[in-house]
Amino acid sequence: MLDETLLDAPDALAVADRRGLLRGAAEAGARVRTAARHATEAGITALHPEGRPRTVLVAGPGTAAAGVADLIGALAGASAPVVRLAPTGVAPAAGALRWALPGWAGPVDLLLLPTTDGSEPGLALLAGQAYRRGITVVAVAPEGSPLSEAVSGSHGLFVPLAMAPHEARDEYGENLAASPGALWALFTPLLALLDRVGLIEAPAEALERVADRLDRTAERCGPAIATYSNPAKTLAAELAESLPLIWTEGDAAGPVGRRFAAVLAELAGLPALAAELPEALPAHGVLLAGAYAAAADPDDFFRDRVEELQAPRARVVLLRDRPAGGLSAAPAARELALGHETAVSELEPEEGDALETLAELLAVTDFAAVYLALTTSGHMAP
């Protein structure tokens, strides 16, 4: 159950936020600026590559690294394939995870290692294997971590993770890997790198605009802004006790929707399904007509009368990263949802370049997930 009174009680939210998730969301713009500075100091902006990599490989643990790989793939488009190397292991602990290079990977490929921990032996082993094959390795991890020592000098390029003054390295990797700030700390240096190798357009001025957009969005979505004028709080209140069906339209909105679903589960304990339009319509159409439909009859004769718990009602979240108009499946999406009496929440960013609109969608959905985590009974952030 969502405690709506807590949504508009900034002091109470601060007390409930023991992992600093709201601070992480609010500081995303500052994190981009710090990470961009770290990238420059590490020598990324001075690189003069001979050409584009054939393939970009991404290996790292957790939601943040997976989100980084997905976002890079969307932004790179047809410039080069982006392949995430998923970890294997008997447990999600840093010491148990292992990664393997594809057999075809070689000197013309690029390996990226984003991690908020840096103590994973599997990533250090992967970096060593890549070095022996002649693959260029770039790691973003906490300074002084074992990975920073494994990727240095001739073995690769290391960029220190952008951390706030109040964060300790040991605590960061363990407790704040899902923080909204973690995504930008990992993502920003890699944007600068991929700009230099010609896969993505992300010069210094573009990153500064991203930071400015994140700051403006944080002002609109912060805990002091009332729910009625706060898009993130409004979305959190709408999604409480629902089954979110996150439908995305536009290249960059796809990974934002997938990350939103992952963060809702990880932070707020709320299951959600993400799909891209127009394929989302047949993929989720039966959900809108079945037990999760808003029009489902709660007095159905055959329901379980011992357990009166009802299935959550579906709610569509329409995320778009391009202006309205033109060729769009959004009208059909609205028609299908409303035809099944299913409510629709819509998020569409203000005008800007691809990175700016991506940043705004990420910021609003991250704030919404944090508000749900802090105000939903039984899912308070530990």
Side-chain angles (χ1 to χ4, degrees):
M1 297 292 291
L2 179 78
D3 185 350
E4 293 193 30
T5 60
L6 190 57
L7 269 181
D8 286 324
D11 292 339
L13 282 172
V15 172
D17 189 14
R18 292 185 287 274
R19 292 206 293 175
L21 298 174
L22 277 174
R23 177 182 282 185
E27 293 177 345
R31 192 85 58 160
V32 168
R33 295 185 183 92
T34 302
R37 187 178 71 250
H38 285 186
T40 299
E41 293 171 351
I44 282 179
T45 55
L47 292 175
H48 296 285
E50 296 179 357
R52 294 180 178 181
R54 176 184 62 180
T55 304
V56 178
L57 306 171
V58 185
T63 302
V68 166
D70 203 3
L71 289 165
I72 289 174
L75 291 171
S79 298
V82 177
V83 179
R84 181 182 179 236
L85 306 181
T88 59
V90 297
L97 297 176
R98 293 293 183 271
W99 288 262
L101 288 171
W104 47 260
V108 293
D109 301 311
L110 172 65
L111 174 62
L112 308 179
L113 305 178
T115 173
T116 58
D117 189 327
S119 68
E120 305 90 347
L123 287 181
L125 291 171
L126 185 70
Q129 294 168 13
Y131 172 71
R132 289 189 291 273
R133 290 203 203 176
I135 300 172
T136 301
V137 181
V138 179
V140 182
E143 192 167 19
S145 63
L147 185 61
S148 71
E149 299 172 4
V151 182
S152 60
S154 61
H155 284 204
L157 179 63
F158 171 74
V159 182
L161 185 73
M163 296 170 57
H166 57 83
E167 294 169 344
R169 182 175 72 82
D170 293 341
E171 295 177 355
Y172 195 84
E174 181 179 355
N175 298 324
L176 295 179
S179 166
L183 177 75
W184 290 105
L186 297 172
F187 189 32
T188 304
L190 300 181
L191 284 174
L193 171 71
L194 297 176
D195 175 75
R196 295 303 299 170
V197 301
L199 293 186
I200 292 173
E201 291 188 14
E205 55 271 20
L207 295 180
E208 183 60 34
R209 290 196 299 270
V210 167
D212 291 342
R213 178 69 68 97
L214 289 170
D215 287 343
R216 292 197 300 272
T217 307
E219 291 175 0
R220 295 166 47 220
C221 297
I225 306 302
T227 300
Y228 68 85
S229 59
N230 186 320
K233 286 184 179 180
T234 298
L235 182 59
E238 291 171 346
L239 295 186
E241 301 177 58
S242 74
L243 172 65
L245 303 180
I246 303 168
W247 295 352
T248 62
E249 186 169 58
D251 293 337
V256 174
R258 290 186 287 273
R259 171 179 163 79
F260 189 28
V263 174
L264 283 174
E266 185 168 338
L267 294 184
L270 181 66
L273 299 173
E276 298 186 28
L277 291 173
E279 292 180 330
L281 304 184
H284 293 168
V286 175
L287 287 171
L288 297 181
Y292 297 99
D297 184 6
D299 295 321
D300 179 55
F301 178 82
F302 295 103
R303 80 182 191 277
D304 189 335
R305 297 177 184 277
V306 177
E307 292 291 339
E308 290 291 335
L309 293 177
Q310 297 180 16
R313 298 303 180 223
R315 185 180 186 100
V316 169
V317 180
L318 185 56
L319 300 182
R320 306 177 68 206
D321 68 351
R322 60 189 181 191
L327 187 62
S328 172
R334 297 186 192 101
E335 182 179 356
L336 177 64
L338 298 178
H340 290 288
E341 300 181 27
T342 299
V344 179
S345 301
E346 295 196 36
L347 283 181
E348 186 172 312
E350 297 175 1
E351 290 186 5
D353 62 30
L355 283 177
E356 289 180 82
T357 57
L358 174 69
E360 183 175 334
L361 286 176
L362 283 168
V364 175
T365 52
D366 276 347
F367 265 107
V370 170
Y371 284 128
L372 276 166
L374 299 179
T375 59
T376 304
S377 176
H379 296 292
M380 295 295 185

